[in-house]
Amino acid sequence: MLFLDIAIIIVYFLIVIGIGVIGSRKAKTIEDYALAGRNLGFFMYFGCLSAVILGGASTIGTTKLGYEFGVSGMWLVFMLGLGIMGLGLFFLKKISSFKVLTISEFLGKRFGDESRLLSALVASVYALMVAVTQVIGIGTVMNVLLGWNLTTSMLLGGGIVLFYTILGGMWSVTMTDIVQFIIMTIGVFFIMLPLSLSKAGGWGALNQQLPDSYFSFTGIGGSQVFQYFLLFCLGMIVAQDIWQRIFTARTNKTARLGTILAGIYSLLYGLAVSIIGMCAFIVLPNLGDSQNAFASMAIETVPTGVLGLVLAGVIAALMSTASGTLLASSTLISNDVIKRYFVKNASEKQSMIVSRLTTTAIGAVTIVFAVWIQDVLVALDVAYAILSGAVFVPILLGFFWKKATSKAAFYSMISSILVIIGGLAIEGLHSTNPIMYGILTSFIVMIGVSLVTENQPTEMTGAIEERSHIS
């Protein structure tokens, strides 16, 4: 890379840091810090939600899959898009009607304190691991671009994300996400995709030079597509970072429309990035590490000056998801664990201090894990496996089955977590079976225990029963 491209990326970093400082002035209350005051209009909401969905796995991971399998590599992001659309169509109205801050707060009101604590721990680990994947992605891109050591790159990129997230919370994340959404859209759709196709010789050249399997929507394998459904489609529905974004919308209409359109945008993004990976297979057939396909392709095809903008767009996609999931994890820990059990009756000022300190600690753990794991898709698989298997069934039945009991929810989560972790240890981190075993176990335990235990009154039991009668 030439100095001009590096300068563009450095300027981008400085802008992001500056926005974080501005955001800190707007975050005056805990609701400002965690939810941007529940006051986002349509464009800001749509842009921010799209940005948090599409990160390292969506960009770097899908390009890698496109390089290795062709157009079917899109299924990873397709399932994210389908999940977020399903959330908007079937769950959003119910979620918005409960004025909660976190997914575990809902479970606590529905099923009691034990379920709240356990789900907070599970969901916070998920969010942390997704943040880890983004820091790994940032490090990978900067490693290819600048030739820096991968660990150094992750420390720098992760440190910048942590800095502006600590300062302004959701306001900083929102303001930076709008910039990042615009940059990543221009970089992927209007620069990288057309230039990659041109460099590869056009769509006709792809048809002539790539194997037929590269144009099959099932080329990646039916079992892999199903795994993505279990991991990402179901995971989107119960993800704290997504729920937290929904709570930032000014109105339910804004939340519903923005969520559905963000899902559609994700589908298009996945297709575009997988095609870029296919082009990279032709242009760079001997690429040593396919995880570097996007960054290497950008260096190969995009002219000086524009290259800096494209790669800033990739880093933007990674940073937006990293900051959103980092804030989600820290909100769960601070709201549902620390302030509930250790700092009770905290003032607004004390709550802000707790939130910022928690964000700092979670961010430090995220960076350490990123340096340790260094594989985007492995980290993401583990995160979504635990979340989908442990939390999806209690959330689903908590919304739609009034007979679900508190004991059933708690034992359902405990049993499914043990099954999933045991399955991953025995069959390997890439196996689909542990997720299916976990979800099946969760269903059996949830229904079985509910039928033999009484539904103890909780804060939300009456509201659930009333809504079920209305619907």
Side-chain angles (χ1 to χ4, degrees):
M1 287 185 68
L2 297 180
F3 175 76
L4 177 60
D5 298 309
I6 297 174
I8 290 172
I9 295 174
I10 292 174
V11 168
Y12 165 72
F13 285 155
L14 294 175
I15 290 173
V16 166
I17 292 171
I19 291 174
V21 174
I22 296 171
S24 67
R25 298 172 183 173
K26 296 177 73 68
K28 297 178 181 179
T29 68
I30 194 64
E31 192 163 272
D32 290 335
Y33 190 84
L35 302 176
R38 301 183 190 265
N39 197 36
L40 297 189
F42 171 76
F43 176 72
M44 292 191 73
Y45 175 80
F46 164 69
C48 294
L49 185 59
S50 300
V52 78
I53 296 168
L54 302 169
S58 303
T59 306
I60 294 173
T62 301
T63 306
K64 173 183 177 179
L65 294 174
Y67 187 94
E68 296 176 351
F69 300 102
V71 72
S72 63
M74 70 184 184
W75 278 110
L76 188 154
V77 179
F78 259 47
M79 288 304 176
L80 293 174
L82 291 176
I84 201 68
M85 290 172 69
L87 181 63
L89 289 170
F90 304 114
F91 290 86
L92 190 140
K93 187 176 180 180
K94 289 181 177 292
I95 291 171
S96 300
S97 65
F98 303 113
K99 294 295 183 181
V100 295
L101 193 63
T102 64
I103 188 172
S104 50
E105 187 177 352
F106 164 78
L107 285 171
K109 289 184 175 182
R110 178 66 174 89
F111 295 121
D113 287 344
E114 289 180 336
S115 294
R116 179 173 183 172
L117 177 60
L118 181 59
S119 61
L121 296 174
V122 170
S124 64
V125 169
Y126 145 78
L128 184 147
M129 292 303 292
V130 175
V132 167
T133 69
Q134 310 314 304
V135 175
I136 294 171
I138 294 168
T140 299
V141 173
M142 294 176 66
N143 170 252
V144 174
L145 297 180
L146 307 176
W148 291 0
N149 176 271
L150 182 59
T151 299
T152 302
S153 301
M154 286 189 284
L155 291 173
L156 175 62
I160 292 172
V161 171
L162 179 57
F163 176 76
Y164 75 73
T165 306
I166 291 170
L167 284 180
M170 185 59 82
W171 270 119
S172 291
V173 171
T174 295
M175 295 166 70
T176 54
D177 277 359
I178 290 299
V179 175
Q180 291 162 342
F181 171 71
I182 294 171
I183 293 176
M184 64 191 261
T185 300
I186 294 172
V188 169
F189 287 101
F190 297 100
I191 298 175
M192 194 66 185
L193 179 59
L195 288 180
S196 296
L197 282 168
S198 176
K199 185 71 174 181
W203 189 257
L206 266 64
N207 273 294
Q208 292 176 3
Q209 298 183 51
L210 293 174
D212 291 342
S213 62
Y214 271 59
F215 298 92
S216 169
F217 287 100
T218 58
I220 200 170
S223 62
Q224 186 66 63
V225 174
F226 183 60
Q227 180 180 8
Y228 289 155
F229 169 77
L230 294 175
L231 289 172
F232 305 131
C233 187
L234 301 186
M236 279 288 99
I237 294 173
V238 294
Q240 166 63 22
D241 52 321
I242 304 302
W243 278 43
Q244 199 162 343
R245 293 290 179 162
I246 288 172
F247 298 148
T248 65
R250 187 177 300 153
T251 65
N252 283 347
K253 183 178 179 181
T254 295
R256 184 181 181 87
L257 180 60
T259 300
I260 293 171
L261 291 180
I264 294 172
Y265 178 89
S266 300
L267 303 183
L268 297 174
Y269 192 94
L271 181 60
V273 178
S274 64
I275 292 173
I276 292 170
M278 295 165 67
C279 295
F281 186 78
I282 292 177
V283 177
L284 303 166
N286 299 315
L287 191 62
D289 185 356
S290 57
Q291 187 164 264
N292 296 334
F294 191 99
S296 299
M297 189 65 175
I299 293 172
E300 184 71 24
T301 60
V302 181
T304 300
V306 181
L307 175 60
L309 179 64
V310 169
L311 294 172
V314 179
I315 295 172
L318 298 162
M319 283 188 163
S320 61
T321 303
S323 57
T325 49
L326 172 59
L327 184 62
S329 184
S330 67
T331 301
L332 285 159
I333 295 298
S334 61
N335 184 69
D336 297 303
V337 180
I338 296 176
K339 285 187 284 186
R340 190 163 182 83
Y341 293 98
F342 301 102
V343 190
K344 298 180 180 180
N345 302 316
S347 66
E348 195 72 49
K349 184 177 180 180
Q350 290 172 328
S351 295
M352 289 290 289
I353 293 172
V354 169
S355 294
R356 284 195 166 103
L357 289 175
T358 306
T359 303
T360 303
I362 295 294
V365 173
T366 297
I367 294 171
V368 169
F369 273 40
V371 172
W372 175 40
I373 296 175
Q374 297 192 4
D375 188 309
V376 169
L377 296 181
V378 169
L380 197 71
D381 285 351
V382 173
Y384 274 99
I386 295 174
L387 182 76
S388 299
V391 179
F392 177 75
V393 173
I395 288 286
L396 180 67
L397 297 184
F399 274 133
F400 297 107
W401 192 38
K402 65 179 181 179
K403 293 184 179 180
T405 67
S406 301
K407 288 183 178 180
F410 179 74
Y411 290 126
S412 166
M413 285 188 280
I414 286 286
S415 57
S416 60
I417 289 170
L418 294 175
V419 168
I420 291 167
I421 293 176
L424 291 172
I426 294 170
E427 299 193 18
L429 297 178
H430 293 290
S431 175
T432 308
N433 293 334
I435 310 161
M436 292 188 291
Y437 299 155
I439 293 175
L440 181 62
T441 300
S442 188
F443 261 116
I444 293 172
V445 173
M446 188 81 182
I447 294 172
V449 176
S450 291
L451 293 176
V452 298
T453 57
E454 293 184 0
N455 196 2
Q456 299 175 349
T458 61
E459 184 176 343
M460 200 176 286
T461 302
I464 292 290
E465 291 180 355
E466 181 179 346
R467 284 180 175 84
S468 65
H469 288 309
I470 294 173
S471 58

